[in-house]
Amino acid sequence: AQRVTQPEKLLSVFKGAPVELKCNYSYSGSPELFWYVQYSRQRLQLLLRHISRESIKGFTADLNKGETSFHLKKPFAQEEDSAMYYCGAGGYQKVTFGTGTKLQVIP
Amino acid sequence: DTGVSQDPRHKITKRGQNVTFRCDPISEHNRLYWYRQTLGQGPEFLTYFQNEAQLEKSRLLSDRFSAERPKGSFSTLEIQRTEQGDSAMYLCASSANLYGYTFGSGTRLTVV
């Protein structure tokens, strides 16, 4: 069965500290990997995707096929990064999401 | 284009009633998805359309749920004989490629 695991429900870090949001996936084949973010009172939006190898708002994510992980990282957290983060894995027909991690950046 | 629109934003219904939600995707997106999200959970896949064809449906979706996308434009999701367990946020998303979804704001359903 396809599954995406985000082990932390809540991650609290101080402003300026490094951030790592963990994501592990179990998926047949080679799924595309995504990170989505939901800021307070806003809709879910795409943050970044593995296929684009991009850095958005200082965030990057490295795919480790051996460990089936796609952790999201940022070297220096900012207060505006506080949000819910969802990892997703899938293809054209559907994306399976994890349960999300709430990132709280403490001023 | 203002993105993906969902209507209504909120719906309160009595148990046993039927409800219908509407989603208007980004006009050039040929793929449309419905997800359901409950408190503390991530979005859970319900169904997927490519143009007007419904190509995948979750096994978790009971026969009380039906979705359509006539003419490959807007989509509707109907829930018949609602149950309290149907209370959730229903999300619609559209996509043109594998580069990710654009989500709507969702319809929050409360079954009382």
Side-chain angles (χ1 to χ4, degrees):
Chain A
Q2 298 139 351
R3 182 162 43 205
V4 175
T5 302
Q6 294 180 250
E8 302 137 330
K9 281 196 174 295
L10 173 66
L11 181 65
S12 296
V13 301
F14 286 101
K15 178 182 174 182
V19 174
E20 183 179 47
L21 301 171
K22 291 184 168 51
C23 172
N24 289 87
Y25 64 93
S26 173
Y27 210 96
S28 57
S30 297
E32 185 50 53
L33 281 303
F34 306 90
W35 276 98
Y36 284 80
V37 61
Q38 187 166 28
Y39 301 103
S40 179
R41 302 178 194 272
Q42 295 188 25
R43 62 184 68 187
L44 201 56
Q45 58 186 279
L46 179 67
L47 178 62
L48 56 78
R49 52 225 168 185
H50 171 253
I51 195 172
S52 302
R53 302 288 199 276
E54 57 203 346
S55 173
I56 302 292
K57 299 184 179 182
F59 284 97
T60 59
D62 293 323
L63 175 61
N64 185 322
K65 289 187 177 181
E67 295 182 358
T68 58
S69 68
F70 189 57
H71 302 330
L72 183 69
K73 299 178 182 179
K74 184 171 183 176
F76 308 104
Q78 299 175 328
E79 289 180 63
E80 54 264 35
D81 296 329
S82 294
M84 281 293 298
Y85 291 80
Y86 295 94
C87 180
Y92 285 114
Q93 294 194 293
K94 71 177 179 183
V95 169
T96 300
F97 289 92
T99 52
T101 297
K102 182 176 182 178
L103 175 63
Q104 183 179 59
V105 180
I106 304 165
Chain B
D1 196 313
T2 56
V4 178
S5 299
Q6 291 190 245
D7 184 69
R9 294 292 301 273
H10 304 275
K11 178 71 177 180
I12 300 174
T13 190
K14 291 184 178 180
R15 190 175 53 188
Q17 297 293 305
N18 299 343
V19 294
T20 300
F21 310 141
R22 178 181 169 120
C23 172
D24 287 273
I26 292 173
S27 56
E28 57 266 30
H29 286 183
N30 61 340
R31 295 185 171 89
L32 186 146
Y33 307 82
W34 285 98
Y35 281 78
R36 178 173 63 189
Q37 187 173 22
T38 53
L39 198 62
Q41 300 297 315
E44 176 188 36
F45 173 79
L46 294 179
T47 191
Y48 156 63
F49 290 86
Q50 183 169 327
N51 300 312
E52 67 275 9
Q54 187 175 19
L55 297 184
E56 185 152 346
K57 189 174 173 181
S58 170
R59 283 172 287 179
L60 300 175
L61 213 59
S62 76
D63 292 342
R64 297 183 297 105
F65 287 72
S66 63
E68 294 183 339
R69 192 184 182 196
K71 302 178 183 177
S73 57
F74 71 92
S75 176
T76 57
L77 177 68
E78 181 183 16
I79 308 174
Q80 296 182 327
R81 305 180 304 281
T82 52
E83 302 172 356
Q84 286 191 319
D86 297 331
S87 294
M89 177 73 86
Y90 289 83
L91 298 170
C92 178
S94 68
S95 174
N97 49 44
L98 199 53
Y99 290 155
Y101 296 164
T102 301
F103 279 93
S105 296
T107 293
R108 182 170 296 283
L109 173 66
T110 302
V111 181
V112 298

